């Protein structure tokens, strides 16, 4: 008779999917965590068994536990935790994957609810809230409240510190708000240092209307002291706004036409959209590539990849698309192809490639330099008006002299592009600058024709020795070089000694962009006069 009952029970259990095997042999018994067979006791878990309490008193059944299965106390049966729950000692099917049981008696959804337990058999189900926490069966949503061994306390006025005996217990202290090596202290006037609690210097103590406060947790909004965990401040009006205790954590305040509202300024979903505030108007929704420009005449939502907004105040439609830039610290926009912006919004009509700032004024580095805070004309002006001034450059007779030297292969002419910024070595009169060159070509004299051919080697450089006016070569610019020495590959490369102190060294350099000057030079260079 007993065998028939067990057999029928096995079919019933398997049909519900509660366990993966039939009942354990009646020869195996259990009581609590201990199983026994043929009078021999052993741990149930050693044989993947579990002692499952059944209906009534002192009624235990031994069940086989496979992965994902466990006992439903009071039923004497095992169930699949992925598809079923144990509710009031009964195995029932889950409504959803997040369906669960609180204290064995209350069904709840773990996705939107929280189970707070006072003990194994008693608990309460609460709706989930941002920052919420359990304290026994209570659910705390106020950030000023916390739990100290089951006792609710105010974190701004009390401190829950570990007891000194080291047994894991905690003690609640009044008139403190923090712990330092298990010692309570007031963070508004004290701090936790290397040697324990120490007093703050009077200059370090912040006060709000005469009351000391810790800026970590508090703020002074207008003349009102408030907790930053529960309130936000609209700093323009000095008015407080209460944070909502649910949903996404709000972090800013916006003034509409009629009231103040709090909002979350970050990206709230996968679309990349977010909220921002136009003060006095209200909240606006912005796409991933949009910002607000607070123009004096009108507030604009603008596309950051097309339009330009300087200092969040000056709006220029299609400004970025047209290549315009904002002054680094100012509110003006300029065209870098035609202008240079210096401090204090001083815009000079010099291309940014050549423009430099001397204090707050702009100047053309091709013709001038900054000396002791004053803009002065460059003695060499190697970039602006090459070969015509007296020092470091050519005169017309010298160019004619070059013509003769070229015919006699006593002078070399190269065309090359400059790569990157120069490397400076040495000091004083031994200071030199070295640039790397690429796309190097050499003028070759074949009969009455001048042709450009690549020289031997791949890596070249040019070194300018310091004269009264050091050379300034710009990365990306292509130049023509005159030199009395042949261009060599390697680190030494071409040495530009420059003409100075009356010496007739014919090394010089000039940008190919100076077409007008080049025309004059070659006109003289190839003249038959």
């Amino acid at each position: 008779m007993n065998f028939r009952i067990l057999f029928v029970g096995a079919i019933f259990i398997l049909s519900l999917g509660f366990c993966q095997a039939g009942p354990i042999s009646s020869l195996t018994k259990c009581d609590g965590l201990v199983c026994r067979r043929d009078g021999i006791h052993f741990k149930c878990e050693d044989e993947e068994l579990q002692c499952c309490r059944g209906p009534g008193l002192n009624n235990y059944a031994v069940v086989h536990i496979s992965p994902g299965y466990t006992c439903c106390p009071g039923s004497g049966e095992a169930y699949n935790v992925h598809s079923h729950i144990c509710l009031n000692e009964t195995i029932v099917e889950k409504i959803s994957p997040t369906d669960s049981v609180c204290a064995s008696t209350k069904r709840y959804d773990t996705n939107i609810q929280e189970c707070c337990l006072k003990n194994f058999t008693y608990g309460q189900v609460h709706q989930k809230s941002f920052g919420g926490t359990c304290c026994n069966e209570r659910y705390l949503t106020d950030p000023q409240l916390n739990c100290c061994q089951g006792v609710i306390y105010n974190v701004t006025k009390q401190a829950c510190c570990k007891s000194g005996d080291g047994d894991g217990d905690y003690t609640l202290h009044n008139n403190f708000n923090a712990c330092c090596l298990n010692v309570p202290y007031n963070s508004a006037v004290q701090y936790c240092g290397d040697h324990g609690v120490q007093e703050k210097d009077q200059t370090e103590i912040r006060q709000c209307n005469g009351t000391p406060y810790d800026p970590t947790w508090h703020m002074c909004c207008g003349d009102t002291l408030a907790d930053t965990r529960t309130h936000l401040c609209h700093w323009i009006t000095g008015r407080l706004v209460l944070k909502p205790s649910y949903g996404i954590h709000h972090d800013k305040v916006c003034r509409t036409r009629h009231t103040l509202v709090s909002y979350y300024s970050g990206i709230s979903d996968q679309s990349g959209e977010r909220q921002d505030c136009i003060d006095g108007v209200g909240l606006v929704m912005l796409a991933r590539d949009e910002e607000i420009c607070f123009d004096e005449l009108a507030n604009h939502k603008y596309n950051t990849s097309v339009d330009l907004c300087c200092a969040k105040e000056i709006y220029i439609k299609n400004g970025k698309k047209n290549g315009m830039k904002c002054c680094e610290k100012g509110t003006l926009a300029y065209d870098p192809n035609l202008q240079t912006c210096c401090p204090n919004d001083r815009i000079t009509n010099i291309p940014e490639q050549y423009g430099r700032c001397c204090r707050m004024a702009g100047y053309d580095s091709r013709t001038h330099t900054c000396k002791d805070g004053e803009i002065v004309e460059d003695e060499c002006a190697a970039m602006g008006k090459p070969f015509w001034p007296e020092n470091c450059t050519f005169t017309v007779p010298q160019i004619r002299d070059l013509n003769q030297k070229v015919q006699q292969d006593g002078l070399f002419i190269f065309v090359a592009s400059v790569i990157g910024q120069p490397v400076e070595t040495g000091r004083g009169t031994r200071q030199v600058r070295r640039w790397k060159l690429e796309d190097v070509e050499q003028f070759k004299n074949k009969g009455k024709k001048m042709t450009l051919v690549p020289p031997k080697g791949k890596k070249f450089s040019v070194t300018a020795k310091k004269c009264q006016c050091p050379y300034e070569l710009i990365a990306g610019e292509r130049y023509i070089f005159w030199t009395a020495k042949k261009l060599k590959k390697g680190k030494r490369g071409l040495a530009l000694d420059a003409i100075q102190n009356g010496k007739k060294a014919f090394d010089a350099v000039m940008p190919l962009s100076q077409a007008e000057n080049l025309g004059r030079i070659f006109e003289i260079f190839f003249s038959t006069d």
Side-chain angles (χ1 to χ4, degrees):
M1 182 69 180
N2 291 338
F3 176 78
R4 291 182 59 193
I5 294 174
L6 288 171
F7 182 76
V8 172
I11 295 175
F12 176 70
I13 291 172
L14 286 171
S15 67
L16 291 178
F18 296 154
C19 64
Q20 291 182 321
I24 306 304
S25 168
S26 59
L27 297 177
T28 303
K29 305 292 183 180
C30 73
D31 184 9
L33 298 177
V34 179
C35 290
R36 64 182 182 278
R37 185 187 301 121
D38 298 328
I40 300 175
H41 291 78
F42 61 93
K43 287 184 179 180
C44 300
E45 61 184 31
D46 290 345
E47 296 188 14
E48 295 185 344
L49 304 178
Q50 189 172 358
C51 189
C52 188
R53 182 172 58 82
L57 298 174
N58 300 319
N59 182 15
Y60 292 92
V62 179
V63 293
H64 187 276
I65 299 299
S66 298
Y69 286 76
T70 191
C71 163
C72 177
S75 71
E77 299 170 346
Y79 69 99
N80 187 329
V81 297
H82 301 294
S83 59
H84 293 76
I85 57 174
C86 179
L87 180 64
N88 292 317
E89 302 183 348
T90 303
I91 299 173
V92 296
E93 192 172 355
K94 279 189 174 185
I95 299 174
S96 68
T98 55
D99 196 13
S100 190
V101 177
C102 180
S104 303
T105 59
K106 298 178 179 63
R107 195 171 197 161
Y108 76 103
D109 187 341
T110 58
N111 192 40
I112 59 174
Q113 295 174 306
E114 191 78 45
C115 171
C116 295
L117 295 171
K118 183 174 184 180
N119 51 49
F120 183 75
T121 58
Y122 179 71
Q124 291 291 336
V125 175
H126 305 270
Q127 290 298 117
K128 273 189 177 180
S129 177
F130 181 84
T133 183
C134 290
C135 187
N136 287 343
E137 77 280 13
R138 300 276 299 276
Y139 189 60
L140 310 179
T141 58
D142 186 343
Q144 289 193 354
L145 301 180
N146 209 337
C147 189
C148 186
Q149 288 196 315
V151 178
I152 299 173
Y153 71 99
N154 190 317
V155 297
T156 65
K157 300 176 181 178
Q158 297 170 296
C160 180
C161 302
K162 193 172 182 180
S163 301
D165 52 15
D167 57 1
D169 291 334
Y170 287 80
T171 303
L172 196 60
H173 303 270
N174 296 323
N175 302 320
F176 300 97
N177 63 356
C179 302
C180 179
L181 302 176
N182 304 332
V183 177
Y185 72 98
N186 185 346
S187 62
V189 293
Q190 298 171 309
Y191 68 94
C192 183
D194 296 336
H195 303 289
V197 177
Q198 295 176 266
E199 300 297 320
K200 284 185 179 180
D201 188 274
Q202 290 298 315
T203 57
E204 299 176 330
I205 298 176
R206 294 193 183 184
Q207 295 194 2
C208 184
N209 211 12
T211 303
Y213 72 95
D214 181 0
T216 306
W217 307 110
H218 291 85
M219 61 181 168
C220 190
C221 185
D223 291 329
T224 304
L225 184 63
D227 194 316
T228 55
R229 292 164 291 188
T230 57
H231 289 80
L232 292 167
C233 180
H234 186 255
W235 300 104
I236 298 175
T237 60
R239 291 167 55 190
L240 287 169
V241 175
L242 184 66
K243 288 182 181 180
S245 58
Y246 58 88
I248 297 176
H249 184 58
H250 289 193
D251 58 352
K252 288 189 177 181
V253 178
C254 181
R255 178 170 54 176
T256 68
R257 287 186 174 90
H258 306 291
T259 186
L260 297 175
V261 294
S262 64
Y263 69 100
Y264 175 61
S265 63
I267 297 174
S268 56
D269 54 39
Q270 293 182 350
S271 69
E273 291 187 332
R274 68 196 189 284
Q275 287 182 309
D276 205 344
C277 174
I278 298 177
D279 192 59
V281 177
L283 293 170
V284 295
M285 190 63 69
L286 299 176
R288 190 183 299 272
D289 57 353
E290 286 184 329
E291 292 286 353
I292 297 177
C293 193
F294 301 94
D295 195 285
E296 292 182 358
L297 301 178
N299 294 305
H300 301 270
K301 283 202 304 184
Y302 72 98
N303 189 316
T304 56
S305 61
V306 177
D307 305 318
L308 193 65
C309 179
C310 298
K312 290 190 175 292
E313 294 181 6
I314 306 301
Y315 170 73
I316 302 98
K317 186 174 179 61
N318 293 324
K320 185 168 287 188
K321 181 180 179 181
N322 295 330
M324 299 189 70
K325 294 169 65 176
C326 296
C327 289
E328 185 177 355
K329 297 182 180 180
T331 58
L332 296 183
Y334 67 101
D335 185 348
N337 294 315
L338 303 173
Q339 300 169 310
T340 298
C341 185
C342 291
N344 201 28
D345 288 0
R346 297 283 294 274
I347 294 178
T348 306
N349 292 325
I350 301 170
E352 191 172 60
Q353 182 181 12
Y354 305 114
R356 301 290 185 272
C357 297
C358 187
R359 292 184 176 173
M360 290 183 293
Y363 67 93
D364 192 330
S365 63
R366 296 169 295 181
T367 57
H368 292 75
T369 188
C370 182
K371 189 174 182 179
D372 299 328
E374 298 292 335
I375 299 174
V376 296
E377 187 172 4
D378 197 319
E379 295 176 358
C380 184
M383 295 296 294
K385 41 185 179 179
F387 314 130
W388 311 122
E390 294 181 358
N391 292 326
C392 302
T393 56
F394 290 123
T395 63
V396 173
Q398 289 169 341
I399 294 174
R400 288 180 177 151
D401 195 10
L402 287 179
N403 188 16
Q404 182 179 357
K405 286 185 174 291
V406 169
Q407 301 301 326
Q408 297 174 356
D409 292 329
L411 187 70
F412 301 93
I413 304 176
F414 298 90
V415 179
S417 299
V418 174
I419 311 175
Q421 300 302 313
V423 177
E424 293 193 0
T425 58
R427 292 184 179 182
T429 57
R430 295 185 178 181
Q431 183 179 3
V432 296
R433 294 182 183 178
R434 180 176 294 111
W435 290 265
K436 291 182 180 180
L437 301 179
E438 66 178 357
D439 300 330
V440 180
E441 295 178 295
Q442 181 181 355
F443 274 100
K444 288 287 188 177
N445 182 22
K446 294 185 178 180
K448 295 182 178 181
K449 294 182 179 180
M450 295 288 289
T451 59
L452 279 170
V453 295
K456 294 181 180 180
K458 295 182 178 180
K459 295 183 180 180
F460 296 92
S461 65
V462 57
T463 302
K465 293 185 178 180
K466 190 177 181 68
C467 64
Q468 296 174 3
C469 43
Y471 287 93
E472 288 290 347
L473 304 184
I474 297 176
E477 185 86 55
R478 196 154 177 80
Y479 293 87
I480 184 168
F481 300 93
W482 281 264
T483 174
K485 297 179 181 179
K486 189 175 182 179
L487 180 62
K488 297 179 181 179
K489 65 179 181 179
K491 292 185 177 181
R492 295 186 63 182
L494 176 64
L496 298 178
D497 293 319
I499 300 172
Q500 59 177 324
N501 301 326
K503 295 180 181 179
K504 288 188 177 182
F506 295 103
D507 299 341
V509 60
M510 177 183 181
L512 286 177
S513 59
Q514 299 290 329
E516 180 181 352
N517 289 332
L518 276 175
R520 296 176 64 189
I521 290 173
F522 280 104
E523 182 182 355
I524 301 170
F525 199 78
F526 298 109
S527 173
T528 57
D529 296 338

